[in-house]
Amino acid sequence: MDYFLTPEQEMIRDLARKVAVEKILPVRAELDEKEEFPWEIMKNCAEAGLFGISISEEFGGFGGGVLENCLAVEELSRVCLGVATSYAASGLGAHPIMLYGSPEQQKKYLPDIAKGKRLAAFGLTEADAGSDAGSIRTTATRTEKGYVLNGTKQWITNGGEAETYTIIAITDRSKGPRGASAFILEKGAPGFSFGKKEKKMGIRSSATRELVFQDCFVPKENLIAKEGMGFIVTMRTFDRTRPGVGSQGVGVAQGALDEAVRYAREREQFGKKIISFQAVQHLLADMATHVEAARALIYSVARYIDQSKDPKEISKVSGMAKVFASDVAMKVTVDAVQVFGGYGYMRDYPVEKMMRDAKILQIYEGTNQIQRNVIGLELSKEYAGKKEKK
Ligand SMILES: Cc1cc2nc3c(=O)[nH]c(=O)nc-3n(C[C@H](O)[C@H](O)[C@H](O)COP(=O)(O)OP(=O)(O)OC[C@H]3O[C@@H](n4cnc5c(N)ncnc54)[C@H](O)[C@@H]3O)c2cc1C
């Protein structure tokens, strides 16, 4: 379907597609098998200018918005969600600086992130604080020249590989949700080390690691925005990055659909191509319909976010985009394995990896249950006081 993209948007999509097909496709199975961080591919993405898509031109980026980012993420995810996650997590780590960083912070960090010279990461989750982010325990104690961080972040994508980290820590517990603040940390800072590296079900080429802070000093110029704004920075960041998780879903689902249709056209049983069986055709038809519906939602939500200034409405639609497209990704990848039958269960074909990879999309950047809570709450507020129309 034609989404009437601008020539610039088409160029971004084509660039990402070229990297995906030429560089990622030949090595995706090996990266998954070896659970190896895709440094070579990150370099390819950097050479293609992909890391700068949403960063302003002033800092060496392309100056695009949410839609442009989604287009690139979709193409990378169509071939490998592990690689796409490593790429997208750098954008997630950069967003707090893009949205709330001081001019000095933006000038210092964004040009290298835009060039792909430094990867970024975002650290919020802890062992006892996942969905309930308000119960994080990492503290940032104010000193004369800055802050001292203590605590451990868990499951941080690009942990250990990234150079620049945006970290949410408690500066004043008595202030509740207004008691957290966002900081920029650099790899190599004294007191900042990396802990356990996770072994995962899917997206195995992405790095997921603990970040450990032991009396880690952060200069005061590395505080993002103001003290107490940590969760606002987080929410506004996720508002803009959740459609990207949705586009990861569209990409992996499209990749699985491509494989399933190709296979169904070749595989013969009962003397016929299996695509000639109506049951298989209907499965493929539903998969294709879901993928297109998810893509249409992501593109329209991304366009809306790029135009709108209403944060409440953005949180709702951004959550819808994430929930819908990630559920589609899970369903379509499971169905793709079904189309392949037993071969789909084997590592010789890519659909089992796609199915393993897709599951994460329903979990990270806020589980789909939490997104539904947010959407439900906004609906309830919207309709409060509205009289029922006859
Ligand atoms: C591979 C991977 C990469 C990640 N990358 C990052 C990263 O880069 N940075 C980062 O900060 N975090 C990262 N995370 C953490 C991720 O965002 C959390 O896993 C997620 O927010 C859920 O938290 P949890 O896993 O602790 O689940 P829990 O919060 O313990 O939830 C468990 C279950 O209970 C449900 N549940 C909890 N509360 C409610 C509620 N109120 N209503 C309904 N259902 C509820 C959840 O939906 C879920 O099904 C990553 C996680 C993984 C697995």
Side-chain angles (χ1 to χ4, degrees):
M1 203 167 119
D2 191 341
Y3 287 95
F4 303 104
L5 301 174
T6 63
E8 289 79 17
Q9 289 165 345
E10 282 182 359
M11 182 196 75
I12 286 170
R13 185 197 56 198
D14 295 347
L15 265 175
R17 187 171 292 173
K18 193 168 151 60
V19 172
V21 172
E22 290 180 8
K23 308 292 182 184
I24 305 177
L25 189 59
V27 293
R28 72 173 166 193
E30 189 186 342
L31 288 171
D32 179 66
E33 191 68 32
K34 293 188 177 162
E35 308 194 18
E36 202 174 285
F37 189 78
W39 267 118
E40 264 317 296
I41 314 275
M42 292 298 105
K43 281 186 200 147
N44 299 140
C45 289
E47 281 157 17
L50 300 183
F51 284 105
I53 287 175
S54 317
I55 294 178
S56 98
E57 287 162 295
E58 192 187 345
F59 304 114
F62 176 77
V66 176
L67 179 58
E68 283 76 12
N69 181 55
C70 285
L71 293 169
V73 170
E74 180 184 331
E75 291 303 326
L76 300 180
S77 308
R78 187 170 178 170
V79 172
C80 179
L81 202 55
V83 170
T85 293
S86 311
Y87 167 79
S90 191
L92 173 66
H95 256 82
I97 308 174
M98 285 156 59
L99 296 176
Y100 289 97
S102 65
E104 293 74 28
Q105 289 170 342
Q106 293 184 335
K107 207 170 146 194
K108 182 169 176 190
Y109 293 103
L110 293 181
D112 278 356
I113 296 175
K115 283 194 206 95
K117 275 191 181 171
R118 285 166 168 257
L119 286 185
F122 179 76
L124 170 66
T125 304
E126 297 176 7
D128 294 322
S131 302
D132 182 11
S135 62
I136 56 168
R137 290 196 195 143
T138 298
T139 52
T141 310
R142 201 183 323 143
T143 63
E144 205 185 317
K145 291 189 175 159
Y147 296 83
V148 174
L149 263 66
N150 278 291
T152 302
K153 296 288 174 188
Q154 178 175 267
W155 301 338
I156 306 309
T157 304
N158 287 350
E161 311 294 338
E163 300 282 335
T164 306
Y165 295 78
T166 46
I167 301 297
I168 309 299
I170 299 293
T171 34
D172 186 347
R173 186 158 311 276
S174 70
K175 291 190 175 156
R178 290 271 175 182
S181 305
F183 299 92
I184 306 170
L185 255 89
E186 292 179 49
K187 187 176 183 174
F192 178 18
S193 60
F194 302 105
K196 187 182 173 210
K197 193 173 174 191
E198 303 295 341
K199 290 185 84 67
K200 306 190 292 291
M201 172 198 288
I203 56 163
R204 290 187 184 166
S205 64
S206 72
T208 312
R209 202 153 174 193
E210 272 180 348
L211 313 180
V212 183
F213 310 111
Q214 285 170 311
D215 292 330
C216 171
F217 176 73
V218 187
K220 64 173 178 254
E221 55 270 23
N222 283 24
L223 171 71
I224 300 178
K226 289 187 191 142
E227 246 186 55
M229 283 189 60
F231 288 127
I232 294 172
V233 169
T234 302
M235 279 188 297
R236 296 292 88 85
T237 291
F238 284 159
D239 281 351
R240 297 181 68 81
T241 56
R242 277 186 184 130
V245 179
S247 60
Q248 289 185 308
V250 174
V252 70
Q254 181 67 58
L257 174 68
D258 296 342
E259 297 291 342
V261 177
R262 268 199 290 268
Y263 184 81
R265 285 171 52 79
E266 283 166 14
R267 173 74 171 167
E268 285 186 14
Q269 288 292 281
F270 302 97
K272 288 178 180 172
K273 306 283 183 200
I274 63 166
I275 201 162
S276 68
F277 302 128
Q278 200 177 44
V280 174
Q281 276 183 20
H282 283 188
L283 199 55
L284 293 171
D286 282 347
M287 289 161 72
T289 307
H290 279 98
V291 172
E292 212 54 70
R295 182 176 288 118
L297 180 64
I298 297 292
Y299 289 7
S300 51
V301 164
R303 280 186 171 123
Y304 175 78
I305 296 174
D306 285 333
Q307 306 289 329
S308 172
K309 301 269 176 279
D310 178 357
K312 288 217 170 81
E313 183 67 11
I314 288 178
S315 294
K316 185 182 80 180
V317 295
S318 155
M320 286 174 169
K322 194 256 178 192
V323 163
F324 187 76
S326 58
D327 283 352
V328 163
M330 198 66 250
K331 181 174 167 22
V332 168
T333 53
V334 168
D335 288 347
V337 171
Q338 194 66 22
V339 170
F340 273 73
Y343 289 104
Y345 205 72
M346 305 300 155
R347 293 197 196 174
D348 304 323
Y349 290 92
V351 286
E352 64 82 31
K353 171 186 178 310
M354 291 169 167
M355 187 181 104
R356 285 188 282 110
D357 287 351
K359 183 62 202 168
I360 192 58
L361 303 175
Q362 296 176 312
I363 297 171
Y364 65 20
E365 284 199 37
T367 68
N368 282 10
Q369 286 88 345
I370 295 297
Q371 301 311 310
R372 288 184 167 93
N373 288 354
V374 172
I375 297 163
L377 190 69
E378 288 306 324
L379 280 177
S380 163
K381 283 191 212 155
E382 262 172 46
Y383 281 73
K386 271 190 192 172
K387 286 199 182 128
E388 211 163 300
K389 283 185 194 150
K390 295 221 166 146

